[in-house]
Amino acid sequence: NTTRASHLVKVHKDKLTVSYTGKANHTQDVGAVLANRPFAKKVLIGYFEMTVISAGTRGCMAIGLGNANFNVMRHPGWEPGSYGYHGDDGRKFQESGRGEPYGPKFSTGDTVGCGLHFGTREIFFTKNGKHLGVGFTNPSHSYYPSVGLHSEGESLSLNFGAQPFKFRLDDMIREEREKLHSTISRIPMDAALVDGIVRNYLEHYACHRALASLPPIGGGSSVPQPSSSSVSIRKDIRELLVQGQMAEACAKLDEAFPNLMASSPKLRAYVRCQEFIEHLREGRRDTALQTAQQYIAPLLHAPPPAPSQRAASGPPQEAAATNGGDAGGQEGANGHSQSEANGESNGT
């Protein structure tokens, strides 16, 4: 994220190479930079690596994670809401400048990685492909990959998954999923419970033929037998929706479930938008326009919630600052996300 990088670092045109440009005369002369977006929480493991191009005069480099308020004039791990592993002494730091012994030092030519395991809530580090063990547990924020530099001549390159990692991340993910599958498979499941889950799924999606093919539930089971009338009604409504017969579907919906449309604005919006589309597909433009004016326009132009007294009386500059305060976290492109190594989308 070049909009929030320290003025003591140069982010090169590829936005993956960072060099220190300061004199490093004081502890506040650190040059740090964050990635342009945090790890995606829906992946199992967020991970990135940095390769030390030059350790400079003292090798005071760090890799870690920081929250959205991270101070880019300080190393990862020194500030609240940040964690770091430092190359000059091999220590790990959590929201403090004191640190604890953790791993080996790193210098020119080394590739160091940082990962966040969302399943176990653990932060770990790697060096040249080797897992160094759990560094921290139970992080509580949405974290951005971060690096810090603090001596003349330091330079590094970053990898967010566009290139193969030195660490075998795919192997770790596979092992973790096998552990999870093994744990789940050992959980005893009552046959009646499983049968009920399957029947409820089939009933919900109106799969009446599949539901009818299941044997009847025997006496003594606590799982209710799905109602054949309910399945039939759901099937009819589903088929009307698929065929684009929105008026008939709405009428049947109101007849079978009288309060459903009235109690769900989102459902009403979906149904009316689909009705509008169906009118256009059939060439009924006047009817489509009438539907849009009568039903869709009120949904789009519903009055916003009343502001609080404090927001109403506050100066307009504060609202502008709030609206634009997080823009930096969405700009720039620091390469591919770590989740791509996992084969999953970041959902950006």
Side-chain angles (χ1 to χ4, degrees):
N1 182 358
T2 55
T3 63
R4 283 203 56 214
S6 165
H7 69 282
L8 297 175
V9 298
K10 175 184 178 181
V11 179
H12 297 254
K13 289 183 178 180
D14 62 1
K15 293 194 177 182
L16 297 172
T17 306
V18 184
S19 301
Y20 186 72
T21 58
K23 297 296 183 180
N25 294 326
H26 308 284
T27 57
Q28 295 288 348
D29 286 349
V30 174
V33 63
L34 298 172
N36 64 321
R37 64 184 66 139
F39 285 148
K41 293 182 179 180
K42 65 182 180 181
V43 302
L44 180 61
I45 299 173
Y47 181 78
F48 76 105
E49 288 182 342
M50 75 173 193
T51 297
V52 181
I53 299 173
S54 171
T57 57
R58 293 185 289 118
C60 297
M61 312 176 81
I63 183 172
L65 303 173
N67 63 17
N69 299 317
F70 177 71
N71 181 1
V72 294
M73 299 300 293
R74 301 280 283 168
H75 265 315
W78 284 0
E79 292 291 293
S82 69
Y83 301 84
Y85 167 40
H86 293 209
D88 58 326
D89 54 15
R91 297 171 74 86
K92 64 178 182 179
F93 294 78
Q94 177 184 355
E95 304 182 348
S96 167
R98 302 183 68 174
E100 302 175 14
Y102 174 67
K105 300 177 183 180
F106 54 86
S107 187
T108 303
D110 288 327
T111 296
V112 186
C114 175
L116 173 54
H117 193 309
F118 286 97
T120 60
R121 304 300 302 163
E122 295 174 341
I123 296 173
F124 66 92
F125 298 94
T126 67
K127 179 184 176 185
N128 296 329
K130 180 182 178 182
H131 194 297
L132 300 179
V134 175
F136 308 100
T137 58
N138 298 318
S140 57
H141 296 278
S142 177
Y143 289 103
Y144 294 75
S146 63
V147 293
L149 305 89
H150 195 207
S151 74
E152 292 185 87
E154 291 179 351
S155 181
L156 57 85
S157 64
L158 296 163
N159 179 14
F160 295 96
Q163 303 297 326
F165 291 126
K166 282 283 186 74
F167 177 63
R168 303 292 294 272
L169 181 63
D170 290 342
D171 290 347
M172 180 179 181
I173 293 172
R174 184 165 49 252
E175 291 174 4
E176 292 297 315
R177 294 195 174 187
E178 287 174 355
K179 289 179 186 176
L180 181 61
H181 183 271
S182 176
T183 300
I184 294 173
S185 65
R186 291 196 299 268
I187 298 175
M189 291 288 287
D190 180 76
L193 176 62
V194 175
D195 187 72
I197 292 172
V198 173
R199 289 175 187 272
N200 288 338
Y201 177 88
L202 296 176
E203 180 185 14
H204 180 79
Y205 287 100
C207 303
H208 63 288
R209 287 196 298 270
L211 189 60
S213 69
L214 295 178
I217 299 176
S221 171
S222 60
V223 181
Q225 176 72 43
S227 166
S228 59
S229 61
S230 172
V231 174
S232 177
I233 291 171
R234 289 173 180 269
K235 169 181 173 293
D236 293 343
I237 295 174
R238 187 181 183 87
E239 289 181 353
L240 289 171
L241 291 172
V242 170
Q243 294 167 8
Q245 301 180 35
M246 302 305 299
E248 295 84 348
C250 288
K252 199 166 188 66
L253 199 59
D254 289 335
E255 178 185 351
F257 310 100
N259 299 320
L260 185 60
M261 290 279 282
S263 62
S264 176
K266 182 179 286 189
L267 176 61
R268 291 201 305 273
Y270 283 143
V271 170
R272 294 305 181 185
C273 287
Q274 186 63 36
E275 184 178 354
F276 172 76
I277 292 170
E278 295 299 336
H279 286 317
L280 288 179
R281 290 176 61 184
E282 296 296 327
R284 299 187 292 267
R285 296 190 178 185
D286 292 341
T287 308
L289 181 60
Q290 182 180 355
T291 300
Q293 292 173 336
Q294 184 176 354
Y295 299 112
I296 300 177
L299 296 172
L300 296 176
H301 300 292
S308 65
Q309 183 64 33
R310 180 178 178 181
S313 61
Q317 302 96 297
E318 291 184 3
T322 302
N323 291 337
D326 196 36
Q330 300 298 323
E331 296 179 1
N334 272 351
H336 296 281
S337 164
Q338 86 296 333
S339 65
E340 293 176 3
N342 191 357
E344 299 188 41
S345 169
N346 231 352
T348 306

